[in-house]
Amino acid sequence: MLRSFRSLHKNFFQARMDLSDFPALIGAFAFGPLSGLLIELVKNTLQLLTTSTGGVGEIANFLMGASYVVAAGVIYKHRKTKKTALLACVAASFVMGAAAALANYFILLPLFETFMPLDQLIASFGAFLPFIHTKLDIVLFNALPFNILKGVIIGGFTMLTYKRLTPILKGR
């Protein structure tokens, strides 16, 4: 139990910029938002096999990733141009930020509180960002901007590679 808590704590506080939503975004652009959602589901289900977060990390990753790829896929589906793809990536980044804020405030932080009291949780974040004093501060100054940035970076990689991958994905 203590090992599981340490691992969960370590993963929760080490904001990792992973690009694992990139394949799901490519899938959403190539085959539609439902495909992107299914890729997110498969990715996070497979990750559960080796989780060190007790499933909390996978729930978080699925919620944020799904909000991102579905939003981007829906926007891009209606008009498949480079300009629309860029707009889709930027708009979806803000959708993911909002989803992260809501999920962290109402689901993820309360789940994490079962392992650590809220005041200790806030103090842990405050050690890295001294202006964090409340649960809302954690959401506004950590979860929200980090996820917007993550979405913009993944969108940038997608913009650089999608056109080159299209012939392969479409079997041409």
Side-chain angles (χ1 to χ4, degrees):
M1 173 78 173
L2 183 59
R3 182 172 181 229
S4 176
F5 169 73
R6 284 185 186 147
S7 180
L8 179 62
H9 181 266
K10 179 181 171 191
N11 286 327
F12 192 81
F13 290 106
Q14 284 182 343
R16 296 182 323 215
M17 183 62 70
D18 74 84
L19 300 176
S20 64
D21 297 321
F22 170 74
L25 183 57
I26 293 291
F29 277 5
F31 306 110
L34 182 59
S35 295
L37 179 68
L38 291 174
I39 293 168
E40 283 290 336
L41 182 63
V42 168
K43 173 189 76 166
N44 285 290
T45 301
L46 290 173
Q47 186 62 38
L48 275 173
L49 300 174
T50 60
T51 188
S52 60
T53 66
V56 175
E58 290 70 31
I59 292 169
N61 191 281
F62 177 75
L63 292 172
M64 273 57 107
S67 68
Y68 181 68
V69 300
V70 169
V74 166
I75 293 168
Y76 185 71
K77 182 179 179 178
H78 295 292
R79 190 162 188 227
K80 295 184 178 192
T81 66
K82 192 173 189 175
K83 185 177 178 179
T84 304
L86 179 60
L87 172 70
C89 290
V90 171
S93 296
F94 284 92
V95 169
M96 182 165 61
L102 293 170
N104 272 279
Y105 194 84
F106 293 109
I107 301 169
L108 303 172
L109 289 172
L111 277 174
F112 196 69
E113 284 180 69
T114 63
F115 296 100
M116 177 186 279
L118 183 60
D119 58 337
Q120 286 181 333
L121 186 62
I122 292 168
S124 295
F125 276 97
F128 296 104
L129 301 168
F131 47 85
I132 290 183
H133 303 291
T134 67
K135 186 163 97 170
L136 185 59
D137 289 344
I138 294 171
V139 169
L140 294 177
F141 299 119
N142 187 348
L144 178 69
F146 176 79
N147 281 280
I148 291 171
L149 177 63
K150 178 181 175 180
V152 168
I153 290 171
I154 292 169
F157 279 114
T158 301
M159 294 299 296
L160 292 172
T161 58
Y162 180 66
K163 194 70 170 171
R164 293 182 193 120
L165 292 173
T166 302
I168 297 166
L169 294 169
K170 299 293 183 172
R172 294 182 215 149

